[in-house]
Amino acid sequence: MLDLFADSQPWQEPLAPGATILRRFAFSAAQRLMLDIDAVASRSPFRQMVTPGGYTMSVAMTNCGQLGWTTDRRGYVYSSIDPLTGHAWPPFPASFVELCRRAATAAGYTDFQPDACLINRYAPGAKLSLHQDKDEPDLRAPIVSVSLGLPAIFQFGGLKRSDPLKRLMLEHGDVVVWGGESRLFYHGIQPLKDGLHPLTGNCRYNLTFRQAGKKE
């Protein structure tokens, strides 16, 4: 049942060494976060990027912060300029900064200083194949991932693509934080099932905070 525990207090679920799920952690901030997502997208619109192999991703993406993650036929890169608009990515909204700081601290990463936030929009059928987050220069910094809207099945494995996978339901307001031993664990999202959420309609949104530049 969608948002079955929506009225309960947030709680933590251990996921792996260095990784935890903060259930419902972003629930109370969700409406503000969605307004700020809309504001970011008004300046840097969502787009479906093309991978180096020529595959058009099913997930629509945009970014905010000092750096933004992009991909094209030449490869994956972090850039300070949105290639679609030719302008700098929008800055972090205050709601993003506050939520990310609190989530990282709750998971034990008190010195996390993100400079990039990838915003993914999933329509029904959209997915994210198993991958590692390894395009960042300092892999000591964790990942903070915020789920909003429709529920999705999150896959979390190990250091090899062939390692056994945990499959967990992520619902509206859940935050996953991973670093340390599990920083390079493979992860992905199974195809989103059709549905309707009162805040996001028939979509799921995901905010992924990273430290993509070198820490000063």
Side-chain angles (χ1 to χ4, degrees):
M1 183 179 297
L2 184 62
D3 294 337
L4 179 64
F5 303 105
D7 295 328
S8 65
Q9 292 297 312
W11 72 96
Q12 291 195 25
E13 290 180 12
L15 179 57
T20 189
I21 304 178
L22 308 174
R23 294 289 187 185
R24 302 301 183 269
F25 194 87
F27 190 87
S28 62
Q31 190 166 6
R32 179 71 258 174
L33 293 171
M34 284 304 307
L35 290 173
D36 287 334
I37 288 172
D38 289 342
V40 168
S42 71
R43 295 176 55 181
S44 284
F46 282 100
R47 78 292 305 260
Q48 289 173 275
M49 300 182 189
V50 178
T51 69
Y55 170 72
T56 299
M57 301 182 72
S58 61
V59 178
M61 299 177 173
T62 187
N63 293 271
C64 63
Q66 297 175 20
L67 297 170
W69 184 87
T70 64
T71 179
D72 58 26
R73 290 182 180 271
R74 294 169 294 179
Y76 305 106
V77 66
Y78 280 101
S79 172
S80 61
I81 300 298
D82 179 351
L84 184 65
T85 67
H87 299 293
W89 298 102
F92 282 153
S95 65
F96 285 29
V97 175
E98 171 64 13
L99 176 65
C100 182
R101 180 191 62 79
R102 291 194 302 108
T105 299
Y109 297 98
T110 58
D111 194 33
F112 183 39
Q113 298 178 24
D115 52 17
C117 178
L118 176 65
I119 307 172
N120 288 345
R121 183 182 67 199
Y122 294 78
K127 64 179 182 179
L128 202 59
S129 299
L130 282 178
H131 66 283
Q132 296 170 297
D133 285 359
K134 58 181 181 180
D135 298 321
E136 300 76 36
D138 187 350
L139 298 177
R140 295 171 298 179
I143 305 292
V144 174
S145 179
V146 182
S147 294
L148 300 169
L150 290 178
I153 301 296
F154 178 61
Q155 302 176 110
F156 198 73
L159 291 172
K160 296 184 294 184
R161 187 184 295 272
S162 59
D163 284 343
L165 292 173
K166 294 179 180 178
R167 293 178 174 85
L168 308 109
M169 178 72 77
L170 294 181
E171 294 188 279
H172 180 61
D174 289 345
V175 180
V176 184
V177 183
W178 69 95
E181 293 181 47
S182 54
R183 174 61 176 76
L184 287 175
F185 278 16
Y186 277 89
H187 57 282
I189 293 290
Q190 291 186 350
L192 189 73
K193 292 185 178 181
D194 198 7
L196 190 64
H197 191 275
L199 184 60
T200 67
N202 71 333
C203 291
R204 172 184 185 262
Y205 290 83
N206 179 252
L207 309 176
T208 304
F209 294 92
R210 304 184 181 102
Q211 181 186 311
K214 293 184 179 180
K215 185 178 176 181
E216 298 180 358

